[in-house]
Amino acid sequence: MARLSAEAVAQARELMSLYPDSRSALVPICHLAQAEEGWLSPEVMEHIAELMGITPAEVLGTASFYEMLRTEPVGRYMVSVCTNIACLLNGAYELLEHAEERLAIGVGATTPDQMFSLEEAECIAFCDRAPCLQVNHRFFGSVDDERFDTLVEDLAAGRLDDDVPHHGVLSRVRRQGGLAVPAEQVRAERAEADRARAERAAAAQAERS
Amino acid sequence: MADTATAGPGGRPGNTETLSIVVDGRQVEARPGEMVIAAAERAGTYIPRFCYHPRMKPVGMCRMCLVEIRGPRGYSLQPACFVAVADGQEVRTTSDKVKKAQDGVLEFLLINHPLDCPVCDKGGECPLQDQTLAYGPGESRFVEEKRHFAKPIPISGLVDLDRERCIQCARCTRFADEHAGEPLINFIGRGDQLEVNTYPDHPFASYFSGNTVQICPVGALTAAPYRFRARPWDLEQVESTCTSCAVGCRVVVQSSSNRLTRYLGVDSDPVNQTWLCDKGRFDFEAVNSDDRVTHPLVRRGDELVEVSWDDALAAAAQGLAGVKHRGGPSAVGVIGGARLPNEDAYAWAKLAKGVLGTDSVDAQLGDGLPAEVVLGLPRATIDQACSADALVLLAPDLREELPVLFLRLREAAVERGVPVIELTAVPTAMTRYASASLTYGPGEVAALARALVAPETESAPAGDGEQPLDVARAILHRRDGQGPGADGDGVVVVLGRPSVAEADDMVDEAAAVLFGAWPEARFLPALRRSNVHGALDMGLAPGILPGRVGLDEARAWYTAAWGAVPEERGLDTAGMLSAAAEKRIEALVLLGADPLTDFPDRQLAQRGMAGATFVVAVDAFLNESSGQADVVLPAAMYAERSGTTTNVEGRISRLGQKVVGPGVTRPDWMIAAELAARLGGDLGMDTVDAVWDEIERVAPSHAGITRRLIGDPHAADGIVAPMPRVPVRLAVGTGRPGGAAPVHAGATDTGAGATQPAPGPIDPMATPGIGAIESQGIPNIAGAPPTANGEVPGIPSDVPADAGPAPRAGPPETQLPVAGPSQPGALEVGPPDVPSSADRPALVRFTPAKPRSVPAPDSYALRLVARHRLYDHGTLVQACPSLAPLAPSPGLRANPYDLDRLGVQTGGRVRVRGREALEMGVLADTDVPRGVAVIDLDLADDGAEDLIDSGRTVNDVRLETL
Ligand code: SF4
Ligand code: SF4
Ligand code: FES
Ligand code: FES
C-alpha cells in the first residue's frame, strides 16, 4: 500500500481541524500513518504533504527528527533492548548478544522475513526489572535468554497479537466514533478564547496609554 | 571585518520613536522592536553573525552573535540577533566572556567543518573564514573523525550542496520558506546527523534557488554555473541593473578575464531587496555564449557571409534607402527594441522616426499592451503596490514573468497583510496568497472588472457572502477606515497581459473600467520584456515619441528637435507583419526581435517575414528570424555597454559595463548613429552620455533627470520618471565600505513614499561576495566619481530652465548649485521646471480603445489561454547551457471534466485545431477551469503559436483524438 487508507485520511483531517494551525497536526498524523505500515514510506510522506498542503521536505524534516518515527522500513516487531546502566549491570549486553544470535541479525537490522528488527535502547524506565526490553514500545522485564526465546516464538506465532500490535500502533485503544469534542465546539471555544485574549490585550493597552 | 560594516540595514520606515541602549558603555539610539544586533550595527558596533540576515526573521541558530546583556541577575550571554532592544538595556560585546563564547562557538562550528577552503568556491569571501580569523580560537582541540557526506550533490540543475560544509544557519531554508514560499529544502535528521537537503528525488526546483547560494555563509551551497570558474580576488565587479525582465533588479556584475562569471543581487530597498530570480542570475551565460554573432553578416545568395562594418552598414543603408525611395517611409517597419538600453532605444527611435520617417515602430511583439495604456495610466511604484490598501492583480502569472516582483508582492500579502484581489483566467502562483481570486473566462475580464467596481447598492451590498467576488468587494468597501477610498485612493492595480490568446483590447477595456471607477488608483504595468518600459518611454511604439508624448501632440516639438517626424501614425507589430505580408511594408528592421519564435501568431509572422523584401537584423544571436535577414549587424549585449534602463515603475537606473563584446560587436545606439549617417541624417550622438543629455533635454517625461542626478551615488536605486513636481528627498547615507555608493540609497519616488530609509552599507555577512571585493568601485556614467567620506556631491536644486529642443545644443556646462543637506540624512531635489516652455507637449493620457464584442463560447471548443513561462525556448534562455534544460515540456492542459466530455485521453496526444491543426500532448489539470485550455508559448517544436490568430478577440480550439 502506497498511500494512506481512506480511514487514516479522514482521521488526519479531523486531527488537522483540532489545531489553530493545521501544521501542528503533523506529528500525530505521522503516528497515524506509521500505524498503517509500521514506517513512513516516501509515498506516505508525500501523501501527508499533499493532505496538509506542505512540502514533502517539511514532512521528512519533522519525521526524521523523532526517533519514534521511522523513515526506513522496520520489521513487524521492533525489539529495543535497554543497555543503560541498571540493565547493563544485570547482563543487558549478554542479552543483546543472545538476541543477535537468536534472530540471526545484528543491531540495527531486520530479519529477512520482515518480522523482527533489533535495536539498542537507552533507559526505558523499567530498571526495577532489568534487564528489560520493549517490543513495539510494550514492556518486557527480567528477560533472560530463555524468556527471550519464548517471547520471540510467541510473537512469531501470533500468540501475543492482542498485547503487541504491529510496529507503529501506539495505542491499542483506537478512538471510536470521532472526536471526543466535536470540531464545531473546538472552533467555538477557540474563537471565544481568541476574543477574550484580544480583549485582555486591548485592556492592557488602554491601561498603559 | 568589523571595520567594513558600520551601520545597519534600514529599519522600519515611518517609525520615528526611538529608545536608547548602552553598547559597550556608549549610549546608542535604537528603534523599538529591532534586535540588539541591528541597533549595535547602526551605531558602529559590529557583532559577528552567521544565521542573522537583515532581510529574514531571526532564528538564533548559530550563537555566533552572543553578547552579554544585563538582566535582573547581572550580565548573561544572549544572542544579539534574537533579543529585542529595550530602553536602558546594557550590552557588552567585547568582554572576555563574550570573546570566550565566540571562540567556543567557532571551535564547535569547525568541529565538523571540512576546512577544504582551497577547493571551495566561497574561499576568499567566506563569512566563516573571515569571522574565524577575526573572532576564532585559531586552534582546534578536536582530533576525532569528522562526519562525512557525499561531496557535492546536485539538488537542482543550478545548485550543488556540500553538506559537510554546512553550518546549519538555516538561511537557505528560511529563504525558501519565508521569501519564496517554496520550502523545498529543509533540515533532515537531528543532532550530529543533521543535514540540509531536499526530499529525495524532489529537486530544489524554485525560480529563486540562486539566492540561497548567495546568502549561504559557507560554501555548502554553490552555483553550478559559477563552480570553479573564478576566485573572488580575481573578480572585477561593476554595479548594474538586471535587464532579463522588467523588474530591474539591482545587481553586481562580476567578471574575470573579460568573461562574465556571476551576478549577485544588491540590496536595493525599493526594488529587489537582495533577491534575484535564477533566470536573471544565471543568464550571463548567454553573453559568454560561443554562438554570438561577432561580425556583421550580409546575405549572398543563400548564405550569410562575414563582411566589414562599412560594407554591412552600406548594404543596410542602401536597402533601406531603396525601399524608402520606392514605397515611401511607411514601407519601412522596425520591430523590437525592448532589449536595448534607454539611450539605444532613443537613438533607434530617432533614426526610425526622425531620419527614416516611419512611425511603424514597435518594441512589443504582440504580447504586451498598447503604449497609451502603459504610459497613460497613473503609475505606481513597487513600494506603493506593497503597501496598498487593496492590490488588484490583472496580470499574467508574475512568478513566471516578473519573478522578483512576485517575491515583493507575495511578501506584502503574507507579512504585511496587504489584501490581494486577483482577476485571472487560470490559477497563478499568487492565487494561494490572494484574499480573493476571481476567475473569468477568456474574453470576459471587463465584465468581471465591472462587477468588482460596481457601486454598493441596496440590492447589491458590498460583499457579505463567501464568494470570492463578495470577499473582494468587502475589501474594497471596508468601513473601518483601513480600506481604499471610494475613488480608488490606495488601490494599486498590477496591469499586464494575462494571455496572448486574448486580444490586448480585452485588458484595455478592463483597465478603462477600473480607471473609470477609481480615478485615484495607481497602476503598475506588468510587461515583462527587459527594457520594454524604457523602449516605450523612448518612443519605440506607434504613435508615440520619446518622453511619453503622442505623435500629434508632440509634432511641433519634435520637428524642432529632430527636423522631421512621421506624418501619420504607423503600425504595431501585428500590423507591420500583415502589411509586410501584403507588400505594403517592404523592409523590416529587427532590433533583437525574433518574431518567428516570439510573436504569438506564428502564421502571421511567417507571412510577414516572407513578404518583406529586405530585412535588417540587429542582434546578438542568429535565431530563426535574424537567420533569414539580408543584413545582420552584431550588437553588444548586457554588461558590454553602459547606459540606463527603465523598469516597470518607470525607475531609471544605471547599467554597468564590465566586459568587451566579442568580435566587432557594437552598442545599438552606435549602430543607429552610423546607419543614420549613411542615410544622410545625423543623430548628433557621439557618446552614450551625449544621448542621455539629449533625452533629458528633449523627452518631456525625463526632464530634470540629469546624468548628474542618475549618477549620484545616493540615487543608486534609480530615479522614477517623471520627476514629481513637488520636492523629493534623496536619502543620504554614510556610503558603502570602500567609499563607493550606498546600496540602500533611496530613490526618488513619485507621490507617496517619496522618502526611503537612510541607506546603510553592505553587510559582507549578508551578501558575501559584494562587500568583500567592493574595492573595484562602481562606474559612474555621469562621470563624477562618488565622493568619499560620505560627503555629498551637489545635486541640482533646480534644473536649468528649458534648454530648448534644438538639436545638438549641449547642456550648459554650468556650475550646478550645490544643495547641502537640509537635514542630516536627506537631500532635497528641486522639482524640474516642467511646464516652463509653453510648447513642451503634455504626456500621453490613457484613452481606451472601443470595446469589441466577444463571440459566445461554443460547447465543443475550449477557450485558449496562452501564457509565457520563465524558462522557454527563446534565444536568451537557450543560449544559457544551465537554463536551457529547465524549460518545461510543452503540452495543452485542460480540466479532466472537459477531456472526459470530449472523449480525450489524458497523457496522450491529440489533434488541436485552432488557427492551424497540430498534434500536441494533453494533460488533465484540475486547476484549469472548465471550458479553458492552457498552452505555454515559446516551448520547443510544438508550435503553440500556430494555434493563435492575433486578430481575434479570443481564440478557441477543438480537440480531436488521433
Ligand atoms: S546550506 Fe548554507 S545557508 Fe543552508 S543552512 Fe547550511 S550553511 Fe546555512
Ligand atoms: S526578476 Fe527580472 S530583473 Fe529581477 S533578476 Fe529576475 S529577470 Fe532580472
Ligand atoms: S537502565 Fe534499562 S530500563 Fe533503566
Ligand atoms: S544566533 Fe545570532 S546570528 Fe546566529
Side-chain angles (χ1 to χ4, degrees), chain A residues 4-84:
Chain A
L4 294 177
S5 66
E7 192 199 346
V9 169
Q11 278 182 324
R13 293 234 160 86
E14 216 172 73
L15 280 168
M16 268 154 41
S17 72
L18 282 177
Y19 298 88
D21 179 353
S22 64
R23 168 100 196 245
S24 312
L26 181 52
V27 169
I29 289 177
C30 284
H31 280 300
L32 190 75
Q34 192 162 264
E36 301 230 308
E37 279 182 280
W39 67 293
L40 297 170
S41 64
E43 294 81 5
V44 159
M45 284 192 275
E46 281 164 45
H47 192 185
I48 294 175
E50 193 185 305
L51 275 175
M52 304 189 68
I54 60 181
T55 63
E58 290 176 290
V59 178
L60 178 61
T62 300
S64 61
F65 184 86
Y66 294 104
E67 282 294 279
M68 279 174 74
L69 295 173
R70 305 277 168 172
T71 54
E72 300 288 334
V74 292
R76 182 177 171 90
Y77 298 110
M78 170 54 78
V79 180
S80 319
V81 179
C82 170
T83 54
N84 234 164

Side-chain angles (χ1 to χ4, degrees), chain B residues 553-858:
Chain B
E553 295 76 20
R555 183 174 302 277
W557 176 267
Y558 272 99
T559 309
W562 288 356
V565 289
E567 264 153 39
E568 57 192 46
R569 191 190 162 97
L571 304 165
D572 63 4
T573 298
M576 278 185 262
L577 290 170
S578 319
E582 293 157 17
K583 302 279 178 200
R584 281 181 289 121
I585 280 188
E586 284 181 57
L588 285 178
V589 179
L590 304 179
L591 294 178
D594 179 7
L596 289 176
T597 316
D598 286 352
F599 189 69
D601 179 341
R602 188 175 163 90
Q603 224 196 53
L604 180 56
Q606 273 167 341
R607 283 191 291 125
M609 284 292 292
T613 49
F614 186 69
V615 178
V616 180
V618 185
D619 212 322
F621 289 94
L622 276 189
N623 48 42
E624 234 190 309
S625 310
S626 55
Q628 292 187 8
D630 298 285
V631 180
V632 180
L633 304 174
M637 279 183 85
Y638 187 75
E640 294 170 352
R641 57 186 179 201
S642 55
T644 59
T645 186
T646 303
N647 80 347
V648 288
E649 310 162 282
R651 182 183 301 277
I652 297 162
S653 39
R654 292 172 298 174
L655 297 170
Q657 180 189 348
K658 197 63 252 174
V659 290
V660 180
V664 293
T665 52
R666 289 182 182 174
D668 301 75
W669 70 265
M670 210 183 268
I671 300 175
E674 297 264 356
L675 201 51
R678 282 172 173 75
L679 286 164
D682 180 3
L683 295 190
M685 299 167 179
D686 40 22
T687 62
V688 72
D689 286 350
V691 186
W692 186 264
D693 291 340
E694 184 174 327
I695 294 171
E696 192 275 324
R697 202 171 59 244
V698 174
S701 59
H702 286 48
I705 306 178
T706 56
R707 266 197 293 136
R708 189 80 186 265
L709 185 52
I710 301 177
D712 191 276
H714 304 103
D717 289 327
I719 301 288
V720 175
M723 292 278 280
R725 298 181 187 194
V726 292
V728 292
R729 287 159 113 210
L730 273 185
V732 173
T734 47
R736 239 189 268 164
V743 176
H744 298 268
T748 59
D749 279 349
T750 46
T755 52
Q756 296 290 341
I762 276 190
D763 169 5
M765 300 301 137
T767 313
I770 299 183
I773 47 171
E774 184 55 42
S775 54
Q776 302 291 339
I778 65 157
N780 204 323
I781 59 160
T787 40
N789 318 329
E791 200 185 295
V792 178
I795 288 185
S797 63
D798 56 42
V799 170
D802 229 351
R808 309 240 53 180
E813 262 309 315
T814 49
Q815 204 51 42
L816 290 170
V818 174
S822 55
Q823 67 178 85
L827 264 188
E828 302 253 320
V829 182
D833 205 356
V834 175
S836 68
S837 158
D839 47 353
R840 194 187 278 269
L843 305 189
V844 284
R845 275 170 199 282
F846 171 56
T847 35
K850 266 221 197 75
R852 280 192 281 169
S853 67
V854 177
D858 118 31

Side-chain angles (χ1 to χ4, degrees), chain A residues 76-174:
Chain A
R76 182 177 171 90
Y77 298 110
M78 170 54 78
V79 180
S80 319
V81 179
C82 170
T83 54
N84 234 164
I85 187 76
C87 295
L88 176 139
L89 295 174
N90 279 291
Y93 274 108
E94 289 76 8
L95 175 63
L96 190 62
E97 244 169 62
H98 174 75
E100 287 186 322
E101 265 164 41
R102 172 66 183 75
L103 297 173
I105 52 172
V107 167
T110 299
T111 56
D113 60 0
Q114 310 295 319
M115 280 299 273
F116 294 97
S117 295
L118 186 61
E119 69 174 3
E120 214 179 318
E122 300 305 327
C123 179
I124 54 177
F126 207 28
C127 316
D128 56 326
R129 306 278 300 278
C132 58
L133 56 78
Q134 281 184 331
V135 179
N136 295 350
H137 305 296
R138 274 73 179 173
F139 291 90
F140 295 90
S142 311
V143 185
D144 55 20
D145 292 1
E146 230 166 87
R147 293 196 54 178
F148 184 83
D149 294 347
T150 328
L151 177 62
V152 166
E153 274 155 34
D154 288 349
L155 286 167
R159 282 190 286 276
L160 289 177
D161 277 3
D162 286 347
D163 298 319
V164 186
H166 71 82
H167 180 254
V169 179
L170 282 190
S171 157
R172 272 163 298 138
V173 194
R174 270 290 184 90

